Amino acid sequence: MSKLKQNHIAYHTAVLQGGNLEPIKPWITDGKPAIVVLATSNAEKAAPYLSAFAGLNSESKHVSLYGFLDWEPETNVYPNLYYASLFYTHDKESLADYNREYTKWFHLNPNSGEVIRFDLLGYDLSLYFISMMSKYGVPGFTQHLSVQLPENIESRFVFKRVAAGGGFQNNELHLLNYKSGKGVTLISE
């Protein structure tokens, strides 16, 4: 919240219960664009509010929701959802090539219906670390972990050291936008 204050971005907080949006209606029915953030990642707990947003969005199209991919926006409960993800397919052609090769090698179709494709994550991680070791050498590649390599299919890696002498953490996230009927688009990295 301090970042919002620091950047002079107006916000309000409210305690909601039972799917009732009445406490926030005065803030979101004035015609100004608004993003509502529910304080849960649990799809079951969010469900009554998502249904309430369906009715609200028929009245005011300027309200968006910040949520989680596993809330299944494909159900068309709400037309405009923003979420952060470690995964986004940047190059659809590379993904199609990968899927063809996967099928050829393993005689299976990759499961593209999953939220996280562990096969792609493994491929991207392997490609990243093998490329880094090849380019910078095995003993010195950790000095260059903040370098972003463009060849990955779904994941981007920008590693930052957690603490002096400690391990590394990937800090790369994608802000994605799902709009009903239009699919997912990348807003920022």
Side-chain angles (χ1 to χ4, degrees):
M1 303 287 189
S2 64
K3 285 275 189 190
L4 293 173
K5 281 182 186 176
Q6 190 177 2
N7 291 305
H8 307 290
I9 298 172
Y11 69 92
H12 304 280
T13 59
V15 176
L16 301 177
Q17 294 179 346
N20 180 12
L21 298 179
E22 289 301 319
I24 64 170
K25 274 191 175 180
W27 305 321
I28 59 176
T29 55
D30 61 3
K32 295 178 185 171
I35 295 179
V36 175
V37 180
L38 298 178
T40 183
S41 61
N42 183 300
E44 227 173 272
K45 289 180 181 176
Y49 300 102
L50 301 181
S51 297
F53 271 104
L56 182 66
N57 274 320
S58 63
E59 302 166 25
S60 50
K61 301 285 186 202
H62 63 278
V63 178
S64 299
L65 192 60
Y66 182 87
F68 296 85
L69 183 59
D70 61 351
W71 287 357
E72 298 182 23
E74 291 80 14
T75 59
N76 294 322
V77 173
Y78 37 87
N80 201 11
L81 172 70
Y82 290 92
Y83 60 94
S85 176
L86 294 169
F87 312 102
Y88 177 75
T89 303
H90 293 266
D91 182 355
K92 306 290 187 215
E93 192 174 312
S94 292
L95 178 61
D97 291 344
Y98 170 86
N99 287 340
R100 263 190 306 282
E101 289 297 316
Y102 184 99
T103 302
K104 189 165 64 174
W105 275 83
F106 298 106
H107 307 288
L108 296 167
N109 288 322
N111 190 354
S112 57
E114 295 295 320
V115 174
I116 299 174
R117 286 194 45 193
F118 291 104
D119 58 311
L120 281 174
L121 179 58
Y123 176 84
D124 284 348
L125 279 166
S126 298
L127 180 63
Y128 179 82
F129 284 108
I130 290 169
S131 298
M132 293 299 285
M133 287 178 205
S134 173
K135 188 172 183 174
Y136 299 108
V138 174
F141 82 95
T142 58
Q143 304 304 314
H144 303 279
L145 286 179
S146 62
V147 173
Q148 195 176 75
L149 299 175
E151 298 91 11
N152 291 349
I153 295 175
E154 190 177 59
S155 306
R156 296 289 189 259
F157 303 108
V158 178
F159 290 99
K160 302 274 190 234
R161 191 174 290 280
V162 176
F168 293 86
Q169 174 179 309
N170 183 21
N171 288 334
E172 184 69 7
L173 277 177
H174 307 287
L175 180 60
L176 304 174
N177 179 223
Y178 174 86
K179 286 190 179 178
S180 180
K182 295 183 181 173
V184 176
T185 55
L186 179 67
I187 301 299
S188 71
E189 297 186 55

